């Protein structure tokens, strides 16, 4: 099932780019999750410091591209905010850059989709084989 069609130009997946990550060679996840972190830990890190109004009234999708190095450090690369929430209030760079993942052999670009609906937050992991389409991976 294709969730999104995008042009993966250069190394960024989403339109809002951040330039504080060290972007040497890295791999995209394709059909399986390589960069591992507990979904609940990931969700807690992303929403750290958000007020109850944001959490309860948030609606829509938030796409995150996170670079995870071999030691498990993370760095927010790009974002697509299709929610009713303001990016400035989310503190995404600070929250994500503090998140620790399990280390792995390669530097990985993890693509995360958070869906906000009536106070519920669901997380999907996305991968790409052809550098054009994003598909859900498990």
């Amino acid at each position: 099932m294709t969730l999104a069609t995008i042009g993966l130009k250069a190394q960024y997946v989403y339109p809002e780019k951040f330039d504080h990550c060290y972007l040497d060679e890295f791999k995209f996840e394709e059909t399986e999750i390589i960069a591992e972190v507990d979904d609940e830990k990931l969700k807690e890190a992303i929403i750290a410091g958000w007020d109850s109004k944001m959490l309860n009234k948030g609606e829509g999708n938030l796409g995150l591209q996170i670079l995870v190095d071999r030691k498990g450090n993370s760095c927010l690369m790009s974002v697509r905010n299709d929610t009713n929430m303001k990016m400035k209030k989310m503190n995404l760079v600070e929250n994500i850059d503090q998140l620790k993942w399990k280390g792995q052999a390669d530097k990985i670009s993890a693509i995360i989709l958070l869906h906000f609906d009536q106070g519920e937050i669901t997380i999907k992991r996305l991968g790409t084989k052809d550098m054009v389409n994003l598909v859900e991976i498990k």
Side-chain angles (χ1 to χ4, degrees):
M1 167 188 223
T2 301
L3 295 175
T5 301
I6 57 168
L8 294 176
K9 294 185 177 122
Q11 301 167 337
Y12 295 99
V13 173
Y14 294 120
E16 185 149 350
K17 300 168 181 70
F18 302 92
D19 61 3
H20 68 291
C21 300
Y22 180 64
L23 298 179
D24 58 351
E25 291 185 21
F26 62 86
K27 296 180 180 179
F28 284 94
E29 293 176 316
E30 295 180 358
T31 58
E32 64 183 334
I33 292 172
I34 299 169
E36 293 182 42
V37 67
D38 178 72
D39 279 353
E40 200 57 37
K41 184 178 174 185
L42 176 64
K43 182 169 55 172
E44 287 173 11
I46 292 168
I47 65 172
W50 293 15
D51 63 32
S52 60
K53 182 179 177 186
M54 283 177 67
L55 293 171
N56 293 327
K57 297 192 186 256
E59 297 287 330
N61 293 311
L62 179 66
L64 305 169
Q65 180 187 13
I66 303 171
L67 189 63
V68 183
D69 71 14
R70 292 172 185 88
K71 295 179 182 177
N73 299 309
S74 59
C75 185
L76 183 61
M77 287 181 65
S78 67
V79 173
R80 180 177 184 130
N81 183 14
D82 294 325
T83 71
N84 60 348
M85 298 178 279
K86 300 210 181 307
M87 286 282 295
K88 287 183 181 180
K89 292 188 174 187
M90 291 186 197
N91 298 318
L92 292 174
V93 171
E94 297 84 1
N95 290 353
I96 290 169
D97 288 2
Q98 294 179 30
L99 179 63
K100 288 294 276 183
W101 303 57
K102 290 183 183 175
Q104 69 276 327
D106 295 303
K107 205 172 193 182
I108 300 295
S109 172
I111 303 169
I112 314 293
L113 181 69
L114 285 89
H115 179 72
F116 298 86
D117 185 28
Q118 299 178 357
E120 296 291 319
I121 304 169
T122 54
I123 296 177
K124 292 182 180 176
R125 296 285 295 268
L126 306 178
T128 183
K129 275 188 171 184
D130 60 10
M131 302 303 286
V132 175
N133 297 303
L134 293 176
V135 295
E136 184 174 357
I137 56 177
K138 305 229 183 258

